[in-house]
Amino acid sequence: MANLGLLLGSIFLSIFILPCLSCPEYQKQALLQFKSSILASNSSFNSSTFGLESWNSSSSCCQWDQVTCSSPSNSTSRVVTGLYLSALYTMLPPRPQLPSTVLAPLFQIRSLMLLDISSNNIYGEISSGFANLSKLVHLDMMLNNFNGFIPPHFFHLRHLQYLDLTNNSLHGSLSPDVGSLQNLKVLKLDENFLSGKVPEEIGNLTKLQQLSLSSNQLSDGIPSSVLYLKELQTLDLSYNMLSMEIPVDIGNLPNISTLTLNDNQLTGGIPSSIQKLSKLETLHLENNLLTGEISSWLFNLKGLKNLYLGSNSLTWNNSAKIVPKCILSRLSLKSCGVAGEIPEWISTQKTLDFLDLSENELQGTFPQWLAEMEVGSIILSDNKLTGSLPPALFRSLSLSVLALSRNNFSGELPKNIGDAGGLMILMLAENNFSGPIPQSISQIYRLLLLDLSSNRFSGNTFPIFDPEGFLAFIDFSSNEFSGEIPMSFSQETIILALGGNKFSGSLPSNLSSLSKLEHLDLHDNNLKGDLPESLFQISTLQVLSLRNNSLQGSIPETISNLSSLRILDVSNNNLIGEIPKGCGNLVGMIETPNLLSSVSDIFTFSIEFKDLIVNWKKSKQGLSSRNLGIYSLFDLSKNHLSGEIPASIGALKALKLLNISYNKLSGKIPVSFGDLENVESLDLSHNQLSGSIPQTLVKLQQLSNLDVSNNQLTGRIPVGGQMNTMADPIYYANNSGLCGMQIRVPCPEDEQPSSGSPEHRTKDPWFLWEGVGIGYPVGFLLAIGIVFLTGYFTPPPSTNSRHRRRQQRPIRRRI
């Protein structure tokens, strides 16, 4: 009966009493004001899109969604204690930004113990109003755009147990005052711009269970005071600039399960005390400067699941007998000197999902036991593995990543490759694979990236990929494919690289169907015909390389539609006509480019495509796929273009290279070229340009290579700025009448007045008299020498035969 009474009492309380106890009116009004300020901040907001439709003046705020209140007490009201305001705006990105001032009404609710405003794209400095919320226990501000410093009043929130400022734009150092938050259990400041040292006072946070400061700019060493954090379970200091050695007694943190120190500059060896960490599950030390031998005791840690040791200077003991006591899920021994065959002890790791043994000295064939293990990601690039791939590998239901580039694999791909239905990444570049691409590969619906470059694949028929599929990154370059350019790819295609093959015929007329294409590389094929109009309808195109083909016709004015284009290389074709004035409207070459997001940003391991080969400052060079975002190039060289150079080209301020050499261009060099403020290489040679070199070129502070040779230029070469360093005569050769200090040819206006003038006699008497005394015998000897040489030596070679040959650096083949 007593229990029944309690039950009835609680039901009565929840049904009748609690709804009657409203929150204080001032708190209700503060929340309504907060809602109004959000609505006012952006016209695209409405109450239904961010989940606050239940917030209205006719009900108690304790009944509103995303609001929690205190339990009833002797008072007649319940106060607001929690606000769950994460991701208010539920529409897809790009989400509108909210100014930090919208938070001002919330600072009136001093009873708050929990405040979650994460994932709202709030910008601006953190308000001092947070100091009012002295009862806060849980504060989550992650995934916003707060900037400035972490304000000092944060460190006076003495009840705070959880603080998350991850993924904002905070800068400055982490104040030593952080040590005053002695109730803190979770501190997460990842992905900001914090710099300086990790303060020693961090050791005062003795209740801390999670410390995560990754992806900042923290430097110096790991403070020894972290050893006082005996409750610590997760320590993540990855992606910083930390140096010195890992604290030798790091193993005295008995509760550590995750130790993540990768991507720093840590030195020394792996501390032996780590073997005392009986609860350790993840040890991530990749991409540091660690040295020494990898100890076999690491594999005696029974709870260890994830071990990342790659990309250090650690060495693997190839003679050691490893009998693991752990059951690993993820293992990386990248560039650890593992030699011989793939270690067979790995076959005992039945739950292995990720294996990276790239950049080692592995030999032998792909083992059958590994093909049958159901590993999700297998990365064996940059080894010396041989043989063909076992068909069993593609019967795996788990395989999602297979990276075998830069080995010596050979033979044809197994015809059952399409059975690997979960495969997302397939990278087989720089091997000796041959034969056609199996038709079944098109059955892999989830395939996102396919790199078969630099092999001996051949054939003129291609798999027909699902146009609705996910395949976005395709590299078939440097093989022996023939026939017409295939177009049987997904509409999601972003990168299409087919250069260095034997493709023939015209460019496809339906290129515009690839509406998301950003990178099209068809260089070094046998393509003919005009540039199709459809090519200039792909507004997303950023890189276009058609170099070394036999393309004809003119460049259409519609090239200006390519507003995203940053790299254009149509050199060494048979293009005619004038350079379109619309080229000056290529926005991607006007605005200074930012770094592109790389495909490798999507994954947890490095992915690079084959370098984009360009003619860079008189030599063939490869631009890394990781760095294409910082380049803007315009190369129309070695065609049959004519007419004047459009002055609008000078508007392309982001250009680093402009090459229009070996054409039939005439007229003057545009004065506007002085506005190419980022240009490093300017090649106008082998044309029919006339007039003088514009004085405006002295403004080009980045210029390091200028070639105007083999034109009809006259007048003084400009002096000043970088032009003073352009002093190799070969780059001015074969013009009509250039002069200047760069080629050591005086201009007529530089000649001294006649020695007979009274002014000159008065000004320089030494030159007139003593100089004559010296000059007479010297002149006499020179005259005799000329007669002697004329009589006994053959005429000097022609001007053209005296030209020095320009060296070309070898093409980079690294991917």
Side-chain angles (χ1 to χ4, degrees):
M1 288 295 291
N3 291 337
L4 180 59
L6 288 172
L7 178 60
L8 291 174
S10 62
I11 293 174
F12 178 80
L13 183 67
S14 61
I15 295 177
F16 298 103
I17 301 299
L18 291 183
C20 296
L21 295 178
S22 175
C23 63
E25 184 64 20
Y26 79 93
Q27 294 190 351
K28 179 178 179 178
Q29 292 303 318
L31 293 176
L32 290 174
Q33 185 182 350
F34 170 70
K35 176 181 175 180
S36 297
S37 58
I38 291 180
L39 289 171
S41 67
N42 195 291
S43 59
S44 60
F45 278 115
N46 61 71
S47 59
S48 61
T49 59
F50 59 93
L52 301 184
E53 58 268 27
S54 65
W55 290 27
N56 59 74
S57 58
S58 61
S59 60
S60 168
C61 60
C62 292
Q63 296 177 306
W64 295 350
D65 295 335
Q66 302 174 130
V67 179
T68 59
C69 292
S70 62
S71 299
S73 61
N74 295 331
S75 63
T76 58
S77 64
R78 302 165 61 202
V79 295
V80 175
T81 57
L83 293 174
Y84 297 85
L85 305 176
S86 175
L88 289 175
Y89 199 61
T90 55
M91 293 184 66
L92 294 175
R95 297 177 178 179
Q97 289 191 327
L98 289 172
S100 58
T101 52
V102 300
L103 300 174
L106 302 182
F107 301 139
Q108 301 175 39
I109 308 175
R110 296 173 179 260
S111 56
L112 273 179
M113 299 177 68
L114 182 148
L115 178 59
D116 184 353
I117 53 173
S118 61
S119 303
N120 283 308
N121 209 12
I122 301 172
Y123 70 92
E125 294 188 356
I126 298 175
S127 171
S128 59
F130 279 95
N132 295 341
L133 307 181
S134 58
K135 296 183 179 181
L136 273 180
V137 174
H138 182 113
L139 179 57
D140 191 345
M141 301 170 64
M142 70 176 291
L143 284 167
N144 284 291
N145 197 23
F146 289 107
N147 55 39
F149 299 92
I150 300 175
H153 54 262
F154 258 44
F155 305 119
H156 299 297
L157 300 175
R158 304 304 170 96
H159 298 289
L160 209 56
Q161 297 181 19
Y162 183 102
L163 177 59
D164 191 350
L165 295 170
T166 297
N167 214 320
N168 281 282
S169 300
L170 300 170
H171 60 267
S173 60
L174 181 57
S175 170
D177 292 338
V178 69
S180 62
L181 300 176
Q182 297 189 12
N183 287 306
L184 209 58
K185 294 182 179 179
V186 174
L187 177 59
K188 299 169 70 176
L189 304 176
D190 313 88
E191 298 186 58
N192 282 285
F193 300 99
L194 300 176
S195 57
K197 300 180 180 180
V198 179
E200 286 286 342
E201 288 77 5
I202 206 81
N204 296 342
L205 309 181
T206 55
K207 296 181 181 179
L208 207 59
Q209 298 174 5
Q210 181 176 354
L211 175 59
S212 190
L213 307 177
S214 71
S215 301
N216 280 286
Q217 299 167 6
L218 299 170
S219 56
D220 210 67
I222 300 172
S224 58
S225 61
V226 297
L227 302 178
Y228 299 137
L229 307 180
K230 301 299 184 182
E231 301 297 318
L232 202 60
Q233 299 172 15
T234 297
L235 177 60
D236 186 354
L237 303 177
S238 60
Y239 297 100
N240 279 289
M241 297 182 287
L242 298 172
S243 57
M244 296 190 280
E245 297 187 359
I246 301 171
V248 67
D249 292 324
I250 194 79
N252 292 340
L253 297 176
N255 291 298
I256 282 281
S257 63
T258 299
L259 181 57
T260 307
L261 305 176
N262 57 285
D263 290 87
N264 280 287
Q265 300 167 19
L266 298 171
T267 58
I270 301 174
S272 60
S273 65
I274 286 179
Q275 61 189 306
K276 297 190 295 182
L277 299 177
S278 59
K279 297 182 181 179
L280 190 64
E281 296 182 0
T282 296
L283 179 61
H284 200 160
L285 303 178
E286 274 196 327
N287 292 307
N288 278 289
L289 304 173
L290 300 176
T291 56
E293 185 176 305
I294 298 173
S295 300
S296 58
W297 54 254
L298 283 166
F299 300 93
N300 295 332
L301 293 167
K302 294 182 179 180
L304 194 63
K305 297 178 180 178
N306 306 304
L307 179 61
Y308 299 87
L309 302 177
S311 297
N312 282 284
S313 296
L314 296 168
T315 56
W316 179 258
N317 185 347
N318 289 288
S319 61
K321 183 174 177 59
I322 304 296
V323 183
K325 295 181 181 178
C326 54
I327 302 177
L328 294 173
S329 297
R330 304 177 73 83
L331 173 64
S332 172
L333 296 175
K334 176 181 179 181
S335 66
C336 287
V338 185
E341 296 187 347
I342 297 175
E344 194 167 355
W345 62 263
I346 295 175
S347 65
T348 65
Q349 305 300 292
K350 301 300 183 183
T351 64
L352 195 65
D353 182 60
F354 177 91
L355 176 64
D356 187 351
L357 298 178
S358 60
E359 298 181 25
N360 280 292
E361 299 293 328
L362 295 173
Q363 299 176 343
T365 60
F366 195 107
Q368 186 72 20
W369 56 261
L370 181 57
E372 298 173 353
M373 271 188 68
E374 295 287 338
V375 180
S377 298
I378 301 176
I379 305 172
L380 302 175
S381 305
D382 297 282
N383 281 286
K384 300 176 182 178
L385 298 168
T386 57
S388 58
L389 300 183
L393 178 61
F394 300 102
R395 289 194 285 268
S396 170
L397 300 177
S398 303
L399 188 64
S400 61
V401 175
L402 181 62
L404 305 178
S405 297
R406 294 174 295 279
N407 278 282
N408 296 314
F409 289 112
S410 58
E412 296 189 5
L413 296 182
K415 288 184 169 50
N416 73 325
I417 192 171
D419 294 343
L423 193 61
M424 296 177 66
I425 307 294
L426 179 59
M427 304 184 72
L428 304 178
E430 291 193 50
N431 281 282
N432 292 308
F433 291 113
S434 58
I437 303 174
Q439 292 291 326
S440 68
I441 201 171
S442 63
Q443 301 171 13
I444 308 175
Y445 184 74
R446 296 182 62 198
L447 193 61
L448 175 65
L449 186 153
L450 179 58
D451 185 358
L452 306 180
S453 63
S454 299
N455 281 282
R456 294 188 294 113
F457 289 112
S458 59
N460 56 10
T461 58
F462 292 84
I464 300 176
F465 293 95
D466 187 345
E468 303 295 327
F470 298 110
L471 186 58
F473 307 95
I474 304 155
D475 192 347
F476 291 170
S477 62
S478 300
N479 280 285
E480 299 173 11
F481 294 119
S482 58
E484 295 188 346
I485 296 291
M487 283 295 294
S488 54
F489 300 113
S490 166
Q491 295 176 3
E492 300 295 317
T493 302
I494 295 175
I495 292 179
L496 180 59
L498 304 176
N501 282 285
K502 300 176 182 178
F503 289 116
S504 57
S506 302
L507 289 172
S509 60
N510 59 341
L511 278 167
S512 59
S513 63
L514 302 178
S515 59
K516 297 183 180 179
L517 194 63
E518 296 180 5
H519 182 127
L520 178 61
D521 187 355
L522 303 175
H523 76 273
D524 287 276
N525 280 288
N526 300 312
L527 301 175
K528 298 180 180 180
D530 294 349
L531 299 174
E533 191 64 34
S534 61
L535 179 61
F536 303 99
Q537 298 173 13
I538 310 174
S539 61
T540 55
L541 200 61
Q542 299 180 24
V543 176
L544 176 59
S545 178
L546 303 175
R547 177 172 50 84
N548 291 350
N549 281 284
S550 299
L551 297 169
Q552 302 162 336
S554 59
I555 303 172
E557 279 288 345
T558 50
I559 190 174
S560 60
N561 294 338
L562 303 181
S563 57
S564 301
L565 194 65
R566 296 176 298 97
I567 295 178
L568 174 64
D569 188 351
V570 293
S571 61
N572 206 9
N573 280 282
N574 297 313
L575 299 175
I576 60 174
E578 298 185 352
I579 299 174
K581 293 182 176 62
C583 288
N585 297 324
L586 295 171
V587 177
M589 300 184 185
I590 296 174
E591 300 172 353
T592 303
N594 296 314
L595 281 174
L596 286 178
S597 58
S598 169
V599 60
S600 60
D601 295 339
I602 307 172
F603 304 99
T604 57
F605 59 94
S606 174
I607 290 179
E608 284 195 37
F609 282 102
K610 188 173 183 177
D611 290 354
L612 178 69
I613 307 300
V614 297
N615 186 7
W616 178 261
K617 301 181 183 180
K618 302 296 183 182
S619 64
K620 293 291 191 297
Q621 290 193 27
L623 303 183
S624 168
S625 61
R626 285 184 171 271
N627 297 326
L628 284 183
I630 65 175
Y631 291 102
S632 185
L633 316 176
F634 190 90
D635 191 344
L636 307 182
S637 62
K638 297 184 179 178
N639 282 283
H640 305 291
L641 300 171
S642 58
E644 296 188 357
I645 303 172
S648 60
I649 300 293
L652 306 181
K653 295 185 178 182
L655 279 185
K656 286 187 174 292
L657 179 146
L658 174 58
N659 189 350
I660 49 179
S661 62
Y662 289 92
N663 280 288
K664 300 176 182 178
L665 299 170
S666 58
K668 296 184 177 182
I669 300 173
V671 175
S672 62
F673 274 17
D675 296 327
L676 298 172
E677 56 191 38
N678 285 292
V679 76
E680 297 179 17
S681 179
L682 180 59
D683 192 345
L684 311 177
S685 64
H686 295 271
N687 281 288
Q688 299 167 17
L689 301 173
S690 58
S692 60
I693 300 174
Q695 182 65 29
T696 55
L697 296 192
V698 301
K699 297 191 297 182
L700 303 179
Q701 298 181 6
Q702 306 299 319
L703 190 64
S704 59
N705 183 279
L706 172 68
D707 192 345
V708 295
S709 64
N710 294 280
N711 281 287
Q712 300 167 17
L713 299 171
T714 59
R716 180 189 295 275
I717 299 171
V719 176
Q722 286 295 104
M723 287 300 298
N724 290 352
T725 67
M726 307 291 120
D728 191 337
I730 195 171
Y731 295 135
Y732 301 96
N734 289 347
N735 278 285
S736 301
L738 287 176
C739 61
M741 67 91 174
Q742 292 93 337
I743 57 175
R744 293 170 286 282
V745 174
C747 295
E749 59 268 30
D750 296 333
E751 293 182 359
Q752 295 292 335
S754 170
S755 60
S757 70
E759 178 186 356
H760 194 236
R761 282 197 302 269
T762 304
K763 192 171 184 179
D764 277 315
W766 183 89
F767 174 79
L768 286 172
W769 303 111
E770 281 85 348
V772 167
I774 297 171
Y776 178 81
V778 172
F780 176 78
L781 290 173
L782 284 174
I784 296 299
I786 290 171
V787 172
F788 176 79
L789 291 173
T790 303
Y792 289 91
F793 287 92
T794 58
S798 67
T799 302
N800 289 335
S801 66
R802 287 200 305 268
H803 285 173
R804 293 183 297 177
R805 300 188 63 183
R806 300 173 187 172
Q807 295 180 346
Q808 289 192 338
R809 291 166 57 182
I811 297 175
R812 285 175 51 194
R813 306 299 297 177
R814 175 77 171 140
I815 303 176

